[in-house]
């Protein structure tokens, strides 16, 4: 016969083997809690992820992030645009070669007159559209107004008055005027007007929607100006403050017509293909000197500074 002690040992041995079948435990015996059973059956070793498992998974990354409690940032595929002005000059004015100095009897002169007639017909329709939204607009007085805006904008650029410059030029023209002028000093002055400014071209394009209209007016301006640009070391790069030059420019003024608070601003310039090339810019370059020892003096070496080769630099 099995004693109570041997029967208890048999129960514990069966529990250790993981089998309780056909084992009768005594009524007054309490078995100890088998703490070793969960630890033995649970897998504790680490399984490294497969190489390339992320690329093979077809689960949505947003769904996985949502399960983990991570908020995905919404990605906008649309590109933001500024509708306060157009992206460029629509149907730009083509200045006649030599500024209409060719004879009307020659073949080239007849081409110029034909092109001017074609452009003037489209300009009249555009001016009529502009007057529907701007009742004060007049081609006789607008040219002088455009010249005042041009002078104020360039004075603000020379003084680097950002707030005033933003109100006088469009968002497209502002980076073109200020690019590369961070460490430079600009001296600009409007001397006089050689010819009265006049309107030579007008267009009324739309953007985004058909009713969103913009007015673009090209003004011919022939004036005398002075310009001098100094680099960050105070050396003259371009121009001369005392020497005035004759400048012929074609300014493009723009206004958002459907905006009740819109105003005429400088939008760009048209540079004709027959215009002369700009003057080269004198850049300040580093001339390498001798390598001095701590006990050497520069005067004792009698070093001669080599003359740099003449190179034309263009901005």
């Amino acid at each position: 016969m099995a004693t109570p002690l041997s029967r208890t040992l048999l129960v514990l041995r069966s529990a250790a083997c993981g089998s309780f079948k056909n084992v009768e435990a005594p009524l007054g015996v309490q078995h100890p809690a088998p703490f070793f059973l969960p630890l033995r059956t649970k897998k504790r070793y680490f399984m490294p992820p497969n190489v390339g498992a992320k690329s093979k998974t077809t689960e949505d990354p947003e769904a996985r992030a949502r399960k983990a409690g991570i908020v995905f940032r919404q990605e906008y595929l649309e590109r933001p645009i500024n509708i306060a002005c157009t992206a460029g000059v629509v149907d730009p004015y083509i200045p006649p070669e030599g500024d209409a100095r060719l004879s009307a009897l020659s073949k080239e002169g007849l081409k110029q007159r034909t092109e001017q007639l074609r452009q003037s017909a489209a300009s009249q329709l555009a001016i009529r559209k502009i007057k529907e939204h701007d009742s004060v607009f007049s081609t006789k007085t607008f040219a002088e107004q455009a010249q005042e805006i041009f002078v104020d904008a360039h004075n603000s650029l020379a003084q680097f008055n950002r707030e005033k410059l933003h109100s006088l030029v469009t968002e497209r023209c502002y980076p073109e005027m200020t690019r590369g002028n961070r460490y430079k000093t600009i001296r600009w002055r409007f001397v006089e007007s050689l010819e009265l400014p006049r309107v030579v071209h007008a267009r009324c394009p739309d953007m985004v929607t058909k009713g969103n209209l913009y007015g673009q007016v090209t003004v011919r301006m022939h004036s005398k100006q002075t310009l001098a640009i100094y680099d960050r070391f105070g050396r003259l790069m371009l121009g001369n403050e005392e020497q005035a030059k004759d400048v012929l420019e074609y300014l493009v003024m723009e206004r958002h017509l459907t905006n009740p608070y819109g105003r005429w601003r400088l939008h760009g310039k048209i540079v004709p293909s027959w215009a002369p090339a700009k003057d080269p810019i004198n850049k300040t370059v580093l001339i390498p000197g001798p390598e001095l020892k701590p006990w050497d003096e520069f005067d004792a070496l009698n070093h001669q500074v080599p003359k740099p080769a003449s190179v034309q630099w263009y901005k």
Side-chain angles (χ1 to χ4, degrees):
M1 291 183 62
T3 59
L5 181 59
S6 61
R7 188 174 295 181
T8 304
L9 293 174
L10 180 62
V11 171
L12 292 176
R13 191 180 301 167
S14 302
C17 296
S19 173
F20 289 92
K21 294 180 180 180
N22 303 324
V23 176
E24 295 181 3
L27 296 177
V29 178
Q30 292 183 357
H31 303 293
F35 294 107
F36 53 88
L37 288 178
L39 299 176
R40 187 175 177 183
T41 56
K42 191 173 182 180
K43 296 181 180 179
R44 287 289 178 178
Y45 54 87
F46 173 72
M47 293 182 64
N50 297 331
V51 178
K54 292 184 179 180
S55 60
K56 294 178 182 178
T57 55
T58 57
E59 189 179 357
D60 187 12
E62 289 192 20
R64 282 193 299 161
R66 208 177 295 114
K67 289 178 182 177
I70 302 172
V71 180
F72 246 66
R73 185 179 179 183
Q74 188 176 359
E75 295 183 2
Y76 296 96
L77 300 178
E78 296 85 0
R79 182 181 177 185
I81 62 172
N82 185 9
I83 62 171
C85 67
T86 56
V89 181
V90 180
D91 191 11
Y93 174 69
I94 302 175
E97 187 174 355
D99 197 27
R101 294 177 184 173
L102 296 177
S103 174
L105 301 177
S106 62
K107 186 178 180 181
E108 290 77 9
L110 285 173
K111 285 183 179 180
Q112 286 185 4
R113 299 298 179 272
T114 308
E115 185 67 22
Q116 285 179 357
L117 289 174
R118 187 188 67 81
Q119 291 182 352
S120 62
S123 297
Q124 291 299 325
L125 295 174
I127 290 172
R128 193 179 303 172
K129 262 188 182 180
I130 292 172
K131 286 184 177 180
E132 291 178 2
H133 295 82
D134 187 4
S135 57
V136 191
F137 180 82
S138 174
T139 54
K140 296 180 181 179
T141 59
F142 179 76
E144 297 179 359
Q145 179 186 351
Q147 182 172 322
E148 292 177 1
I149 295 173
F150 170 81
V151 174
D152 292 343
H154 281 74
N155 285 331
S156 302
L157 177 65
Q159 301 167 5
F160 208 70
N161 189 351
R162 298 183 181 181
E163 289 77 12
K164 190 174 182 181
L165 187 60
H166 268 295
S167 63
L168 295 171
V169 301
T170 59
E171 287 75 12
R172 173 197 176 255
C173 184
Y174 181 84
E176 293 183 358
M177 291 184 67
T178 58
R179 187 182 294 115
N181 298 335
R182 185 175 181 182
Y183 299 109
K184 297 181 179 64
T185 304
I186 302 174
R187 297 282 184 264
W188 182 87
R189 185 166 57 92
F190 183 84
V191 181
E192 60 178 348
S193 181
L194 300 178
E195 296 182 38
L196 290 175
R198 56 187 175 89
V199 176
V200 295
H201 192 73
R203 286 294 180 270
C204 194
D206 53 8
M207 190 172 70
V208 182
T209 58
K210 198 169 184 180
N212 192 26
L213 296 176
Y214 298 83
Q216 289 187 355
V217 180
T218 305
V219 179
R220 178 188 180 273
M221 195 179 74
H222 191 198
S223 60
K224 187 173 285 187
Q225 308 169 13
T226 61
L227 174 65
I229 301 178
Y230 300 91
D231 61 4
R232 57 179 177 169
F233 304 107
R235 297 182 178 90
L236 183 65
M237 295 180 64
L238 179 69
N240 191 351
E241 290 190 55
E242 305 298 331
Q243 182 181 1
K245 287 189 175 183
D246 299 346
V247 183
L248 177 62
E249 294 175 310
Y250 296 89
L251 313 176
V252 180
M253 311 298 295
E254 186 181 271
R255 178 180 175 177
H256 194 187
L257 298 177
T258 54
N259 184 8
Y261 304 102
R263 59 173 65 182
W264 289 101
R265 297 183 294 175
L266 182 63
H267 188 60
K269 292 182 182 180
I270 296 176
V271 181
S273 57
W274 44 266
K278 295 182 180 180
D279 297 334
I281 294 177
N282 300 320
K283 279 195 172 183
T284 302
V285 295
L286 175 66
I287 301 175
E291 295 183 3
L292 299 178
K293 304 292 183 182
W295 54 84
D296 290 340
E297 293 184 3
F298 183 76
D299 297 335
L301 296 176
N302 296 326
H303 180 71
Q304 294 182 357
V305 179
K307 293 184 178 181
S310 58
V311 180
Q312 286 190 348
W313 296 87
Y314 292 91
K315 186 176 179 181

